[in-house]
Amino acid sequence: MTNGGTSPSDAAVLARGRRLLALAGDARGRDSAEEARTLALRAAADLERGVRLTGDAGTPSAVRCRALLDLAEARAVAAADSGATGVLEALHEAVEDVRDVSPDLRVLALRRLAEAHGARYRYTADPAELDAADRVFAQAQGLVQRDDPVRAELLAGRGEVLLARADSGGGLEVAAEAVRELRAALALTPGGELRLAERQLLFGRALHRHHTAGGAATDLHEAEWILARAARGARADRTAALAWLERGEVLLTLAGATGVTGATGAPEWLDLAAESYHHGVRSALRAGEPLLAAQAHHQRGSVLERTAGPVRALMSYRAAWELWQRAGAAQGPQARSTFERMTALGATT
C-alpha cells in the first residue's frame, strides 16, 4: 500500500487524474475552453474510478476526501459550472468522509461545498441555495479558531452570501449580518492580501444595502470611503470598475438623501459621482469589459444631465450606446434607456 493507504493501482489512477486536471487548469488559463473541457472529462473519469477503488479498498477517509475534492473540481471544469449537480454530489460525499477525522480537511470541504451552493444560486436564482451556502459556511466557521488564517476566507464567503440574500429582499437584519461578517473579514485581512480590494468592495456594497434597507446615513459615508479605497487599490481592473460604479451609486444616494446633505451639498456629491463613473469607464475598458463601461457611461450621462448640461451628457450616452452595440446588448433595458435619452437630447441640441 502507498499514499497513506492506497494501493499502487489506486495511486496511479488518482495521480493520472490529477495530472489531467492540472493540464485542464493550464488550458483554462490559456482561454482554451474546449481543450480544458476535454482534459477535465478525462480527469473526471480517472478520479471517479480512483474514488471507487479507494472505497473498495477501505482507504483512509482523508485520502478519499482529497480524491473527491479533485473530482468535484474536474466536474466543475468539464461542465463550466462550479455549481453543477455532480460537483455538489462529490462535495457532499467529501464532507461526510471526514466528519470525525480531519477538522482542517472538513473545513476545506465545507468551504468548497458552500461556494458550490453559491455558484448554483447564480445559475438557478433559487433562494434555497443561498440558505444552504449560509448554513454550510456557518458550520465551517464553527470548526476554526478565531486566529486561524482561513477564518477571514470563511467570513468573506459567508458575507458575500448574506449580501446576495440582502439583494434578493432579505431585509435589514440580513444586510446587518452581511455588514458584520464582512467587517470582521476585513479586520483579519492584511494590507498586502490579494483579495483585499474585493473584500472592501463587498463591504461597501453591504453598507449600501444596509442603508437602503433602513440603516443610518453613516452607512453611506463609510461605504463611499471604503469603495474609494477598493477602487484605487484594486490590482484587477474589473474589481476597480465595479468599485467605481458602486461608489457612484452611493454618491448619488448621498446627493439625494434627506438629512444627509443640504441643498448646497448635493452638487458636490453629483460632481464626485460623475468623476467616479468616469474612472469606472476607464477601468472597465482596461479590463476588456464593454458592458461595464457602457453602464458607467450611461450613469455618467444621467449625472451630467443634471450638472453639465445636455451636450456633455449626450457625449456620454453616445459612448454608452456604441459600447452596448459592441457588446451585443443593444436590446437590453438599460441600452434602450440609453438610446431614448440619446434621442431626446439629440433633438434638443
Side-chain angles (χ1 to χ4, degrees), residues 131-315:
D131 293 340
D134 187 9
R135 185 169 59 252
V136 176
F137 268 126
Q139 288 178 35
Q141 285 180 16
L143 296 174
V144 299
Q145 300 297 317
R146 298 192 68 83
D147 59 349
D148 192 320
V150 79
R151 187 169 184 83
E153 296 180 24
L154 297 174
L155 286 164
R158 184 166 183 242
E160 186 171 9
V161 168
L162 289 164
L163 180 55
R165 288 181 61 192
D167 281 337
S168 61
L172 183 63
E173 184 177 344
V174 172
E177 195 171 1
V179 169
R180 285 194 295 271
E181 293 287 292
L182 290 165
R183 191 187 297 279
L186 275 180
L188 295 174
T189 304
E193 166 65 51
L194 289 173
R195 288 159 293 188
L196 175 60
E198 294 176 10
R199 290 174 186 174
Q200 289 172 329
L201 169 59
L202 289 173
F203 182 50
R205 282 178 172 165
L207 287 164
H208 191 189
R209 302 306 182 272
H210 187 252
H211 174 268
T212 301
T218 53
D219 290 332
L220 295 176
H221 292 284
E222 188 176 6
E224 189 276 325
W225 177 78
I226 198 68
L227 289 166
R229 293 194 66 183
R232 295 189 178 105
R235 303 188 186 190
D237 287 319
R238 187 175 190 276
T239 301
L242 290 169
W244 286 123
L245 264 68
E246 187 74 33
R247 178 175 178 260
E249 294 300 305
V250 169
L251 287 162
L252 287 180
T253 306
L254 280 166
T258 303
V260 174
T261 182
T264 57
E268 179 183 349
W269 295 122
L270 291 172
D271 288 342
L272 287 171
E275 179 186 39
S276 195
Y277 288 129
H278 176 66
H279 287 307
V281 168
R282 296 174 65 182
S283 295
L285 290 175
R286 284 196 300 269
E289 296 274 358
L291 284 174
L292 273 179
Q295 291 170 26
H297 259 310
H298 176 92
Q299 292 299 98
R300 184 167 184 264
S302 69
V303 176
L304 291 175
E305 278 197 71
R306 300 163 64 182
T307 61
V311 174
R312 288 188 60 193
L314 181 57
M315 292 173 61

Side-chain angles (χ1 to χ4, degrees), residues 1 3-7 10 53-64:
M1 304 290 279
N3 286 0
T6 58
S7 70
D10 300 347
L53 289 171
T54 56
D56 294 341
T59 304
S61 56
V63 174
R64 192 164 184 272

